[in-house]
């Protein structure tokens, strides 16, 4: 009998043998992340303990990404508590403006193939791009993991998504997820792991692969997983990761559902306001005008997104009345964008940059609140009413290409209609 | 704990309080929208919006009963802590949100997956945790719930994950 990637990784970290979906296992984990949005829960759970030492703290990162820079005194104080906790227990610390946890962990070599990485955030599914089982937890689990280096899991069933053919120009991993959301609906893969395979994955760069796994959280996925190939291994090596132990699925593994996507037929898509599974083609969005264009987040704030934005904005101007804000996913991404001259291109076109972090992905960062009756097009991942701090604004979601093209025209635009909109690095 | 005491602790008895499908515990049982309030205050407001008479009826030891996806889009483990503070002995629902289910186990709140369509508010329930049997005593009904796996039962019996770890440092 064959096994899925999730069954193998969880099995190898618990019994030493593959386990099957539905089993409950206690597995050793490889790395843990707690971000500032959830740090108070973890610190409160820690206070209940009688013990002081946390043996797993050296493999734990505390990240200040949601409240960066801190919008209130209360959130600034959370950061003070995190710094002090980190110093006492010897955790890794990523301070304000370093970037988003899901970008920082792989970038700094904390993730490798075959690992289990737990985080107080549902977008931990991102780590699956590196053939690692990444999964979201809460404070109690996080404190238990800092003590024991372990976590309990119900082994998930897996949905297999086969991406035949490669992505056509102007279409990105973001559009694949939006397409899947139109099929499964929001949380349509609740409790499950998703494995992505096929030519489209093989031809994607790491940035797009992370988008694919990250955005699976909107499908409700507990984890998303890719097999490792040379692209994965050389990326990990370049970022100082530990030796990879790639895990692949058996050909006769059991899946709860298999679906095939005709990738070359996909087109740029957008999610309409308030519902991430209300999907329409960007070219058929009815030419809705926009006032705020946002590039960023753990889903699409990486270097390839900024390169693509610059390719579209090169020699053009942001439409009158539109504000374009780019928030790089990490300081490293920001610096690369500076060195490549992308920041200059985008700023000459009338765009702006904010320091790295979650930024205007979520209203709690208070980073960019849209006005009432304004329409936002964003490369982030969620668009529920009020997500950006004003329930009277609309948030539409699309790829960085779609956001940049819309910033130029002033309305929701298929990037293939704009010069530079079919750019892709080779 | 003696064997008899251990057996008794596995049997929960309480009165049912019924809610519908898709109860969001971030809204109905957490401090998400009242960050400055303490747990006693939040517990005193819990589920009021869903059923204004709930707070008057509810007594410590009672059971929350609901339909599908209890805890939907809820991520805060505070909900499980509030329910324990209130004295909720168990939550019975036809299905649970993954995060809510996990948080409840970790905080020592029994969560039991069971077809709840024949249970009404006011029914007396007797839940045998290790076998998963649910007796609706005054109706003479016995329902079979999905029994909780051994590892999960062990965490619940200890009163939560951190308590379990204290007793079992070599988890
Ligand atoms: S960028 Fe957005 S989705 Fe990602 S971790 Fe930050 S707030 Fe969450």
């Amino acid at each position: 009998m064959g096994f899925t990637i999730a069954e193998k990784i969880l099995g190898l970290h618990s019994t030493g043998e593959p386990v099957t979906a539905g089993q409950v296992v206690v597995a050793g984990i490889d790395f843990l992340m707690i971000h500032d949005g959830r740090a108070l829960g973890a610190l409160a759970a820690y206070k209940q303990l009688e013990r002081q030492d946390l043996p797993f703290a050296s493999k734990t990162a505390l990240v200040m990404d949601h409240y960066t820079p801190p919008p209130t005194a209360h959130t600034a104080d959370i950061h003070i508590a995190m710094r002090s906790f980190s110093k006492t227990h010897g955790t890794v610390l990523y301070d304000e403006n370093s970037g988003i946890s899901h970008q920082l962990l792989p970038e700094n070599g904390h993730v490798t193939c075959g690992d289990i990485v737990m985080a107080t955030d549902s977008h931990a599914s991102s780590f699956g791009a590196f053939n690692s089982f990444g999964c979201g937890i809460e404070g109690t689990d996080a404190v238990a993991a800092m003590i024991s280096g372990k976590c309990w899991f119900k082994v998930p069933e897996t949905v297999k998504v086969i991406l035949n053919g490669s992505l056509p120009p102007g279409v990105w991993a973001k559009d694949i997820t939006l397409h899947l959301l139109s099929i499964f609906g929001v949380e349509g893969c609740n409790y499950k792991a998703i494995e992505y395979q096929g030519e489209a994955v093989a031809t994607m760069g790491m940035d797009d692969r992370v988008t694919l796994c990250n955005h699976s959280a909107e499908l409700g996925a507990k984890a998303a997983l890719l097999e490792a190939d040379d692209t994965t291994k050389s990326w990990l090596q370049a970022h100082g990761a530990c030796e990879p132990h790639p895990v692949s699925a058996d050909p006769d593994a059991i899946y709860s559902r298999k679906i095939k996507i005709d990738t070359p037929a996909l087109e740029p898509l957008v999610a309409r306001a308030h519902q991430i599974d209300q999907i329409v083609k960007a070219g058929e969005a009815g030419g809705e005008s926009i006032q705020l264009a946002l590039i960023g987040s753990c889903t699409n704030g990486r270097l390839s997104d900024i390169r693509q934005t610059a390719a579209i904005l090169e020699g053009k101007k942001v439409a009158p009345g539109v504000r374009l804000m780019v928030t790089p996913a990490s300081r490293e991404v920001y610096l690369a964008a500076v060195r490549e001259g992308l920041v200059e291109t985008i700023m000459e076109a009338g765009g702006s940059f904010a320091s790295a972090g979650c930024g205007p992905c979520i209203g709690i960062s208070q980073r960019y609140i849209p006005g009432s009756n304004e329409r936002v097009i964003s490369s982030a991942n969620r668009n529920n009413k009020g997500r950006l701090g004003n329930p009277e604004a609309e948030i539409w979601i699309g790829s960085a290409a779609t956001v940049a093209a819309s910033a130029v025209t002033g309305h929701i635009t298929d990037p293939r209609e704009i010069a530079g909109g079919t750019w892709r690095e080779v | 704990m003696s064997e008899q005491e251990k057996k008794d602790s596995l049997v929960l008895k309480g009165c049912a309080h019924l809610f519908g499908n898709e109860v969001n515990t971030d809204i109905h049982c957490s401090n998400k929208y009242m960050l400055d309030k303490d747990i006693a205050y939040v517990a005193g407001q819990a589920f009021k919006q869903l059923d204004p008479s709930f707070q008057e009826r509810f007594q410590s030891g009672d059971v929350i009963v609901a339909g599908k996806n209890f805890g939907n889009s809820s991520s805060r483990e505070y909900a499980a802590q509030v329910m324990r503070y209130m004295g909720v002995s168990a939550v019975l629902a036809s299905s649970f949100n993954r995060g809510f289910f996990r948080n409840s186990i970790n905080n020592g709140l029994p969560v039991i997956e069971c077809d709840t369509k024949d249970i009404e508010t006011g029914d007396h329930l007797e839940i045998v945790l290790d076998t998963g049997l649910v007796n609706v005593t005054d109706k003479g009904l016995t329902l079979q719930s999905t029994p909780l796996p051994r590892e999960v039962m062990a965490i619940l019996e200890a009163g939560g994950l951190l308590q379990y770890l204290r007793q079992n440092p070599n988890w």
Side-chain angles (χ1 to χ4, degrees), chain A residues 12-94:
Chain A
L12 290 171
H13 283 72
S14 54
T15 61
E17 299 290 326
V19 288
T20 45
Q23 259 179 274
V24 173
V25 297
V26 177
I29 68 165
D30 298 285
F31 203 77
L32 171 71
M33 187 283 291
I34 300 168
H35 66 56
D36 54 358
R38 288 300 157 89
L40 280 186
L43 297 188
Y46 172 73
K47 280 202 192 111
Q48 291 175 25
L49 300 176
E50 290 137 18
R51 60 187 290 165
Q52 294 294 318
D53 63 314
L54 296 172
F56 201 72
S58 61
K59 289 187 178 173
T60 301
L62 265 53
V63 181
M64 304 178 197
D65 53 2
H66 285 64
Y67 302 122
T68 186
T72 59
H74 174 65
T75 51
D77 290 347
I78 294 176
H79 289 180
I80 292 176
M82 289 172 77
R83 288 186 196 103
S84 139
F85 184 89
S86 171
K87 200 165 170 206
T88 309
H89 297 285
T91 77
V92 180
L93 182 76
Y94 292 103

Side-chain angles (χ1 to χ4, degrees), chain A residues 66 100 102 121 123 297-298 358 361-362 381 387:
Chain A
H66 285 64
I100 308 166
H102 309 303
D121 195 283
H123 287 101
S297 86
C298 56
C358 294
C361 169
I362 188 164
N381 44 52
R387 169 95 178 165

Side-chain angles (χ1 to χ4, degrees), chain A residues 132-156:
Chain A
S132 161
F133 186 92
C135 185
I137 46 166
E138 272 285 307
T140 299
D141 273 312
V143 172
M146 281 194 279
I147 297 172
S148 64
K150 290 182 183 163
C151 211
W152 66 274
F153 297 89
K154 187 167 178 202
V155 181

Side-chain angles (χ1 to χ4, degrees), chain B residues 115-166:
Chain B
D115 184 349
T116 52
K117 69 174 188 319
D118 295 325
I119 305 177
E120 290 166 281
T121 293
D123 283 349
H124 289 91
L125 304 179
E126 196 180 276
I127 304 164
V128 188
L129 277 182
D130 53 352
T131 58
L133 290 179
V134 178
N135 297 313
V136 190
T137 42
D138 20 44
K139 286 184 175 154
L141 256 175
T142 299
L143 308 168
Q144 176 67 58
S145 68
T146 317
L148 292 164
R150 194 167 34 87
E151 296 82 351
V152 167
M153 272 302 299
I155 297 171
L156 279 178
E157 280 173 41
L161 183 57
L162 295 176
Q163 291 77 353
Y164 177 80
L165 267 181
R166 196 175 297 149

